[in-house]
C-alpha cells in the first residue's frame, strides 16, 4: 500500500464488470482524452466491447486505483514481451495533483517486482512525463520510459 501526497493510502484492485461505467466517464473527459493515442471518445457500446475484452485477456491486467475508499483511476498493464509490461495510467480529473498517480505506479512496481515496466507518453503530456520520471522511469527517446526491476 502506497501513500498519496496527502498520506492517504492508495490501493490497486482488479477491475470488475461494474467498473465499466466509471472508466468510460474518465475516458470521456476532454482533459484526459487529449492524451490518448486514440483521440475519439468511444461510444458506450465500443467501450463495453473493449472493457469485456480487457477483463478476459490473460495478457492484460486492468486495475482500479482506490483512494480513501473511492475509485479514482485505473492502471493497465499489458504484456509487451518477455518479462515486460506496458503501463497505462488514468486518474480522474478531480483527483489530479494529489500524488495518486505516483502512489499507484509505486504500488504497481511492488505487485510486479520482476517485470520491466515501460510507458509511452505522448508529446505535450507534461504531467505524465513528470510522473514517470518521478517514479524512477528512465526516458528512452522522445516518449518512451522504462523502469527495470530494482530501480
Amino acid at each position: 500500500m502506497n501513500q498519496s501526497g496527502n498520506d492517504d493510502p492508495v490501493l490497486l484492485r482488479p477491475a470488475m464488470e461494474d467498473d465499466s461505467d466509471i472508466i468510460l466517464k474518465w475516458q470521456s473527459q476532454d482533459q484526459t482524452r487529449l492524451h490518448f493515442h486514440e483521440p475519439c471518445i468511444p461510444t458506450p457500446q465500443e467501450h463495453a466491447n473493449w472493457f469485456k475484452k480487457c477483463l478476459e485477456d490473460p495478457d492484460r491486467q486492468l486495475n482500479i486505483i482506490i483512494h480513501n475508499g473511492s475509485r479514482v483511476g485505473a492502471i493497465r498493464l499489458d504484456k509487451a514481451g518477455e518479462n515486460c509490461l506496458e503501463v497505462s495510467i488514468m486518474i480522474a480529473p478531480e483527483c489530479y495533483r494529489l500524488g495518486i498517480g505516483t502512489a499507484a505506479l509505486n504500488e504497481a512496481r511492488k505487485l510486479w517486482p520482476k517485470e520491466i515496466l515501460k510507458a509511452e507518453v505522448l508529446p505535450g503530456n507534461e504531467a505524465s512525463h513528470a510522473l514517470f520520471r518521478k517514479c524512477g522511469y528512465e526516458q528512452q527517446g522522445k516518449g518512451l520510459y522504462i523502469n527495470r526491476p530494482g530501480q
Side-chain angles (χ1 to χ4, degrees), residues 36-137:
F36 276 52
H37 290 285
E38 172 55 55
C40 296
I41 295 172
T43 66
Q45 188 57 55
E46 288 169 337
H47 173 75
N49 293 341
W50 171 86
F51 191 79
K52 183 177 187 297
K53 287 179 185 175
C54 279
L55 295 182
E56 294 172 351
D57 188 343
D59 291 331
R60 175 171 279 178
Q61 302 285 328
L62 180 60
N63 295 274
I64 300 299
I65 302 166
I66 307 291
H67 180 250
N68 286 334
S70 296
R71 300 174 294 180
V72 297
I75 187 168
R76 193 181 80 226
L77 295 103
D78 295 304
K79 187 172 182 172
E82 188 69 29
N83 296 321
C84 183
L85 297 170
E86 184 168 359
V87 179
S88 299
I89 187 167
M90 173 176 55
I91 304 298
E94 64 273 14
C95 296
Y96 288 173
R97 304 201 191 305
L98 297 178
I100 292 169
T102 300
L105 285 176
N106 290 337
E107 189 69 13
R109 171 43 74 202
K110 286 197 285 185
L111 293 172
W112 290 276
K114 296 179 182 178
E115 284 75 14
I116 295 169
L117 302 179
K118 72 176 190 173
E120 185 180 340
V121 180
L122 295 177
N125 189 349
E126 297 309 320
S128 287
H129 284 282
L131 171 64
F132 284 102
R133 284 192 300 265
K134 181 179 182 178
C135 290
Y137 284 66

